[in-house]
């Protein structure tokens, strides 16, 4: 950035937002914390603060993401979040945009999960720099799961349909119970020893935390971490998280999704091949190179100005504006209510009835207040108004 360049606040915030949105390491982060200041906005979006003992960060979960939740977030609830870091430009505050969330805490198993997670994290076993890329065109896909469950059928069906040239090497194992963790870790080691696959899918279908516990064992985590073959973890459903997910090179929300991530779609490859063939026959290599660069530039610009991101930004502005209007209205009503109460008390203290209650009275003659004895004559009838009523009187003497 040039020296002495003076930025507007808007330009500065836009620049910082572009840095955060462009950082790959901040686009898929896992955050654990406690919910506070939770609010479900009228538009269906959730806004909250995620905090721990020493810090806090504002967070937003848009309607298309929170519609997949199986629970309603509440204040003081401990959660594990998957999302991306961004900046709310108008407020100049960085925040989490939440893509997925799950409750954190289910008794002893949850405590053990957190302890092991903390231990392995301290060892660097979740470090993104250790994760290996998934090969684009694997010849052999290793599958470590139950040999009879729905998961293996889904994986085989998806791979056979998408990329039939890939060889599927199945190693059936127990996926729950005491024998599961040793069998899973042994299968991973065997694949590596035999170099029997280019990529491994390790997982099972959904279940309770007890059913999935084998994938939270340290032995499985160590085997996944030590594997020279890239590992895709596919345990349970989309909202299920295990230690295996954190250690693996790639997490898939379901076994079927893991199969899709493990192999390309042959139909898409064929279409791409035809397209490239036509381009080769109709143009030269230099032209292709220049057009590819132009295309990449345009894609980058379109991504930076994505309508989805603009919609998110304006949605948040509307929600914050609505909140500000509601707060200002409440303050205005409260202020005028206090002023009205003060005037009522003042008016009440000046009421003639208050004075008359102390023993004073008012005389009327012909409906008019008698202000002087000179306006009265003996025999005149007057009405004497006291605190609790009126009495008729006759003037005997006005001297």
């Amino acid at each position: 950035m040039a020296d002495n360049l003076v930025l507007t606040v808007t330009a500065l915030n836009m620049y910082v937002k572009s840095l955060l949105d462009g950082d790959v390491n901040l686009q898929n982060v896992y955050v654990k914390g406690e919910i506070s200041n939770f609010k479900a906005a009228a538009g269906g979006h959730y806004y909250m603060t995620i905090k721990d003992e020493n810090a806090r960060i504002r967070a937003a979960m848009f309607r298309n993401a929170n519609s997949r939740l199986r629970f309603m977030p509440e204040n003081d609830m401990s959660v594990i979040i998957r999302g991306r870091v961004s900046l709310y430009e108008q407020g100049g505050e960085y925040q989490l945009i939440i893509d997925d969330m799950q409750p954190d805490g289910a008794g002893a198993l949850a405590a053990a999960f957190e302890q092991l997670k903390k231990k392995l994290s301290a060892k660097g076993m979740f470090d993104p720099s250790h994760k290996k890329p998934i090969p684009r065109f694997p010849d052999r896909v290793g599958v470590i799961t139950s040999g009879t469950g729905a998961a293996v059928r889904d994986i085989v069906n998806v791979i056979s349909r998408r990329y039939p040239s890939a060889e599927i090497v199945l190693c059936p194992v127990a996926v729950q119970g005491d024998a599961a963790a040793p069998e899973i870790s042994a299968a991973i080691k065997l694949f590596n020893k035999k170099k029997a696959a280019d990529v491994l899918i390790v997982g099972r279908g959904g279940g309770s935390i007890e059913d999935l516990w084998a994938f939270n064992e340290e032995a499985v985590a160590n085997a996944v971490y030590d594997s020279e073959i890239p590992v895709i973890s596919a345990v349970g459903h989309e909202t299920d998280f295990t230690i295996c997910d954190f250690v693996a090179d790639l997490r898939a929300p379901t076994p079927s999704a893991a199969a899709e991530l493990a192999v390309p779609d042959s139909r898409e490859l064929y279409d791409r091949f035809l397209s490239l063939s036509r381009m080769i026959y109709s143009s030269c290599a230099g032209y292709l190179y220049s057009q590819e660069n132009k295309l990449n530039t345009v894609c980058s610009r379109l991504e930076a100005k994505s309508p989805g991101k603009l919609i998110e930004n304006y949605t948040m502005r509307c929600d914050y504006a609505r909140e500000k209007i509601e707060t200002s209205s409440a303050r205005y009503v409260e202020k005028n209510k206090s002023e009205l109460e003060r005037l009522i008390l003042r008016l009440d203290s000046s009421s003639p009835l208050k004075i008359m209650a102390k023993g004073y009275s008012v005389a009327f003659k012909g409906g008019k207040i008698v202000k002087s004895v000179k306006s009265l004559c003996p025999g005149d009838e007057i009405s004497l108004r006291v605190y609790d009523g009126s009495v008729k009187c006759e003037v005997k003497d006005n001297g």
Side-chain angles (χ1 to χ4, degrees):
M1 189 173 296
D3 294 338
N4 302 322
L5 176 60
V6 178
L7 298 175
T8 64
V9 174
T10 299
L12 177 59
N13 283 356
M14 288 179 63
Y15 178 68
V16 174
K17 177 178 172 60
S18 70
L19 293 179
L20 293 176
D21 290 346
D23 190 330
V24 176
N25 294 325
L26 298 180
Q27 297 311 296
N28 189 35
V29 296
Y30 292 86
V31 178
K32 173 188 173 184
E34 184 177 289
I35 296 175
S36 65
N37 301 322
F38 177 79
K39 179 179 180 181
H45 309 308
Y46 294 164
Y47 298 98
M48 67 201 81
T49 299
I50 305 300
K51 65 179 182 178
D52 58 20
E53 296 84 353
N54 303 310
R56 63 185 60 218
I57 180 174
R58 295 193 69 166
M61 190 172 193
F62 297 112
R63 181 172 56 189
N64 63 335
N66 64 45
S67 63
R68 297 191 297 268
L69 291 179
R70 298 178 182 176
F71 67 99
M72 185 67 181
E74 298 177 351
N75 286 328
D76 302 323
M77 179 181 287
S78 184
V79 293
I80 296 176
I81 288 170
R82 176 174 61 82
R84 53 190 169 87
V85 179
S86 187
L87 181 83
Y88 174 57
E89 294 181 47
Q90 281 63 40
E93 297 178 330
Y94 96 99
Q95 60 183 354
L96 274 175
I97 303 299
I98 301 172
D99 295 322
D100 197 5
M101 178 193 302
Q102 69 165 347
D104 176 34
L109 289 180
F113 177 90
E114 288 302 322
Q115 289 172 358
L116 181 57
K117 181 182 174 185
K118 183 177 180 180
K119 175 183 177 181
L120 299 184
S121 179
K123 291 182 177 180
M125 292 179 66
F126 305 157
D127 192 342
S129 64
H130 180 77
K131 298 187 184 300
K132 297 172 287 296
I134 306 302
R136 293 186 61 187
F137 308 105
D139 293 324
R140 289 178 295 180
V141 179
V143 180
I144 301 175
T145 187
S146 170
T148 59
V152 68
R153 292 195 300 272
D154 292 341
I155 292 172
V156 170
N157 289 338
V158 171
I159 293 177
S160 299
R161 170 176 52 82
R162 285 174 59 89
Y163 198 60
S165 63
E167 178 184 359
I168 301 172
V169 183
L170 174 63
C171 183
V173 294
V175 292
Q176 67 183 73
D178 294 338
E183 289 188 20
I184 295 168
S185 57
I188 295 172
K189 294 175 182 177
L190 181 61
F191 267 104
N192 278 271
K193 181 179 179 181
K194 300 291 185 179
K195 301 187 184 301
D198 300 307
V199 62
L200 293 177
I201 297 176
V202 179
R204 55 155 291 162
S208 65
I209 187 173
E210 291 83 2
D211 294 337
L212 306 180
W213 192 250
F215 299 89
N216 289 323
E217 295 285 357
E218 187 169 2
V220 173
N222 288 331
V224 171
Y225 183 80
D226 294 334
S227 175
E228 296 180 2
I229 303 172
V231 175
I232 300 176
S233 176
V235 183
H237 300 301
E238 187 169 355
T239 54
D240 294 323
F241 289 86
T242 65
I243 296 296
C244 185
D245 294 332
F246 294 114
V247 181
D249 299 293
L250 183 63
R251 176 190 181 263
T254 62
S256 296
E260 293 181 357
L261 293 170
V263 296
D265 189 333
S266 58
R267 295 177 183 176
E268 293 179 0
L269 291 175
Y270 180 72
D271 291 341
R272 180 63 174 165
F273 172 78
L274 291 179
S275 175
L276 289 174
S277 297
R278 295 188 189 102
M279 290 176 66
I280 290 172
Y281 282 106
S282 64
S283 182
C284 65
Y287 178 77
L288 282 175
Y289 181 78
S290 64
Q291 292 304 307
E292 184 178 4
N293 285 340
K294 290 180 181 179
L295 180 61
N296 290 337
T297 301
V298 171
C299 289
S300 298
R301 290 176 180 174
L302 287 176
E303 179 64 23
K305 298 180 179 180
S306 168
K309 292 184 179 179
L310 291 176
I311 291 172
E312 288 181 4
N313 186 36
Y314 282 113
T315 299
M316 292 181 65
R317 290 179 64 181
C318 289
D319 290 334
Y320 282 123
R322 185 185 297 109
E323 183 179 353
K324 186 175 181 180
I325 290 172
E326 292 174 353
T327 302
S328 298
S329 300
R331 289 177 180 172
Y332 180 80
V333 171
E334 187 63 28
K335 177 182 178 181
N336 284 275
K337 180 180 178 183
S338 300
E339 180 66 16
L340 179 61
E341 291 175 350
R342 185 183 68 80
L343 292 175
I344 290 173
L345 291 175
R346 182 178 177 183
L347 181 63
D348 185 62
S349 65
S350 302
S351 171
L353 294 177
K354 287 282 187 178
I355 298 174
M356 295 173 70
K358 298 179 180 179
Y360 294 93
S361 61
V362 181
F364 294 86
K365 177 183 176 182
K368 297 182 179 180
I369 297 176
V370 178
K371 297 181 180 180
S372 171
V373 296
K374 294 179 181 180
S375 63
L376 299 174
C377 297
D380 287 345
E381 284 191 358
I382 63 173
S383 175
L384 195 64
R385 177 69 182 270
V386 293
Y387 172 71
D388 58 351
S390 300
V391 294
K392 299 289 186 179
C393 302
E394 181 180 338
V395 179
K396 298 296 185 179
D397 186 1
N398 67 339

